[in-house]
Amino acid sequence: MKKRGKLDTIRGSLIGGAVGDALGYAIEFWQEDQIFHTYGSDGITEYALVDGKAQISDDTQMTLFTAAGILVGDTRMNMNGNGDKPRAYVAMAYQDWLKTQRSDIHGMNPYKRHTREGEISWLLDVPELYALRAPGNTCLSSLAQRGCGEYVDDFMKNPVNQSKGCGGIMRIAPLALRFRLDKTQSEMLDSLDMEAAQIAAITHGHSLGYMPAAVVNHIISRILSSTPEMTLKEIVLEARDTAARIFAGDPHLSELTGIIDRAIWLSENGGNDLANIHALGEGWVAEETLGIALYCSLKYQDDFSKAMIASVNHKGDSDSTGAVTGNILGALVGYEAIEEKWKNHLELSDVILEMADDLCQGCQMSESGSYPDPAWESKYVRGRRYPRMS
């Protein structure tokens, strides 16, 4: 595995996820005969633009809010010396995302926006995020229920439903991108994998709804740890074995490890992509999204574009399978290696890159330090978008 700078890897993962999301969103809910009749035998291979933009879906929206919550928590820990687990701030950030699905930016209470009363995300100042892009009913209903309930520390032990939909796995990448662990920190990586599962469990209470998020976190964490001696297949196998250990005793664990093994085997069998993806499922549930993403990432680990195209051209949840494939493979190849055609016209690419840069930098301020960072303070202390110089 080629060693690259952290920023290139982090940008690659966030932009890669948005690329797969935007490519797949155009054909989400389409049957295969419609896809191939409309776009030809290779399916969709270029963005389908709307008003000149390749639109992102709720997958990338929620990924951005995941990152915002993580960075608010990171900032409070640095500046106050104490703070809650990332899941607590991410849960608050998801309540902010829920507001974008219920209102437009002009309908937000300006007093609350300026005082951050119950709101933590500077993303609420981004007008384009107030867009309904086929948000998952499970995410909407579970967040509404969480918002009316009491504080929860352990979301896995306090499930809001028994959904194993893919709404938890498709937004988890920022956790690994922020808390970068080296190869010696295995015990800490176990905890981070479990934190990924907890974040997915905010909205998805079935163990197959949250265990796959831990696997994706582990894979991206290992890619980031700069271990050139590990191949992607070895990383996937390690992620599978780690999940088997930390979730030992879960009645659905064999289904998770089984689909990982099947994805590895199919990626090496030389078969037709569509037939192999059918053997893994449609991606509406999290373990199938994981399986399809692993298949495409492993088979096309040296060709980002082929992986993106394969990951979305099927009758299932195309934007989510594309997003998770892009998160993994974008981290593997890096931002600079992604073809320009995928970067051009991508909706909110400036915001996505800004968030990637913030995940790379982290909070540099501290309670006792004197380092000033007005942009960071605006975004992650006051919850307001900082005007960027053009």
Side-chain angles (χ1 to χ4, degrees):
M1 193 186 310
K2 185 178 179 181
K3 186 174 181 178
R4 298 181 316 280
K6 291 290 191 292
L7 180 59
D8 187 51
T9 302
I10 294 166
R11 283 183 160 194
S13 184
L14 272 200
I15 285 289
V19 169
D21 178 27
L23 187 66
Y25 178 57
I27 56 171
E28 187 183 19
F29 310 117
W30 287 29
Q31 293 299 305
E32 283 154 11
D33 56 354
Q34 184 181 4
I35 295 171
F36 297 114
H37 175 77
T38 302
Y39 292 104
S41 59
D42 294 329
I44 188 169
T45 60
E46 307 280 348
Y47 287 140
L49 303 181
V50 177
D51 296 326
K53 292 292 184 181
Q55 292 185 333
I56 59 169
S57 82
D58 62 317
D59 294 31
T60 302
Q61 290 176 347
M62 294 197 75
T63 299
L64 289 170
F65 278 91
T66 302
I70 288 168
L71 291 172
V72 168
D74 186 45
T75 301
R76 293 186 183 180
M77 179 66 75
N78 270 38
M79 297 188 71
N80 300 326
N82 58 66
D84 212 330
K85 302 177 185 72
R87 71 190 80 154
Y89 301 105
V90 173
M92 289 189 282
Y94 289 163
Q95 293 298 319
D96 290 349
W97 171 78
L98 185 60
K99 293 180 177 71
T100 69
Q101 305 302 289
R102 293 173 162 178
S103 178
D104 60 30
I105 195 167
H106 304 293
M108 294 293 292
N109 186 313
Y111 174 77
K112 286 188 177 183
R113 285 300 300 121
H114 283 279
T115 60
R116 285 179 49 249
E117 182 184 327
E119 296 163 350
I120 65 171
S121 308
W122 65 268
L123 295 169
L124 288 173
D125 284 337
V126 180
E128 296 88 343
L129 285 171
Y130 293 78
L132 293 173
R133 300 289 171 75
N137 288 329
T138 299
C139 286
L140 293 172
S141 61
S142 57
L143 290 175
Q145 188 172 339
R146 293 283 192 199
C148 296
E150 297 180 353
Y151 172 82
V152 172
D153 177 63
D154 191 321
F155 294 101
M156 291 162 53
K157 290 182 179 178
N158 295 275
V160 72
N161 54 40
Q162 278 299 304
S163 173
K164 62 174 188 170
C166 65
I169 188 176
M170 54 75 165
R171 64 186 193 229
I172 201 60
L175 187 70
L177 300 179
R178 176 66 204 110
F179 297 104
R180 302 180 291 276
L181 305 174
D182 66 39
K183 61 183 179 180
T184 66
Q185 298 173 299
S186 295
E187 187 173 329
M188 292 178 65
L189 184 51
D190 285 0
S191 297
L192 196 66
D193 291 346
M194 195 63 77
E195 190 66 19
Q198 289 281 3
I199 289 172
I202 294 170
T203 55
H204 291 72
H206 194 290
S207 61
L208 284 174
Y210 56 72
M211 291 190 297
V215 176
V216 171
N217 178 82
H218 193 100
I219 292 168
I220 296 176
S221 291
R222 273 294 187 238
I223 292 171
L224 273 157
S225 68
S226 299
T227 52
E229 68 273 15
M230 290 187 76
T231 66
L232 181 59
K233 180 179 177 179
E234 289 169 340
I235 289 173
V236 171
L237 289 170
E238 182 187 87
R240 178 203 64 189
D241 294 344
T242 301
R245 174 167 47 79
I246 66 176
F247 297 110
D250 186 278
H252 302 285
L253 181 61
S254 63
E255 295 171 66
L256 177 69
T257 57
I259 203 165
I260 294 172
D261 288 340
R262 197 177 320 137
I264 294 170
W265 181 80
L266 289 168
S267 74
E268 297 172 344
N269 75 353
N272 173 268
D273 285 334
L274 192 57
N276 284 339
I277 288 172
H278 285 168
L280 293 165
E282 297 184 2
W284 299 110
V285 293
E287 76 273 19
E288 293 179 2
T289 299
L290 175 65
I292 294 169
L294 292 180
Y295 166 79
C296 295
S297 297
L298 286 163
K299 182 170 182 178
Y300 295 113
Q301 57 191 279
D302 297 319
D303 195 323
F304 178 86
S305 294
K306 283 186 177 179
M308 290 299 97
I309 292 166
S311 71
V312 305
N313 279 292
H314 57 86
K315 62 183 176 180
D317 196 353
S318 298
D319 59 341
S320 295
T321 55
V324 179
T325 304
N327 288 144
I328 294 171
L329 203 54
L332 188 71
V333 305
Y335 177 74
E336 294 300 325
I338 295 174
E339 289 183 56
E340 288 301 316
K341 73 173 186 176
W342 301 121
K343 301 170 186 175
N344 296 333
H345 307 293
L346 181 62
E347 185 180 33
L348 288 178
S349 60
D350 58 334
V351 174
I352 297 167
L353 288 174
E354 182 177 354
M355 191 64 81
D357 294 355
D358 288 351
L359 287 167
C360 185
Q361 173 186 328
C363 179
Q364 301 298 307
M365 298 183 293
S366 66
E367 187 176 15
S368 59
S370 58
Y371 173 75
D373 192 337
W376 194 276
E377 185 175 356
S378 176
K379 289 189 287 186
Y380 301 111
V381 177
R382 298 196 304 274
R384 298 311 308 268
R385 189 179 193 182
Y386 191 78
R388 303 190 87 188
M389 300 299 291
S390 58

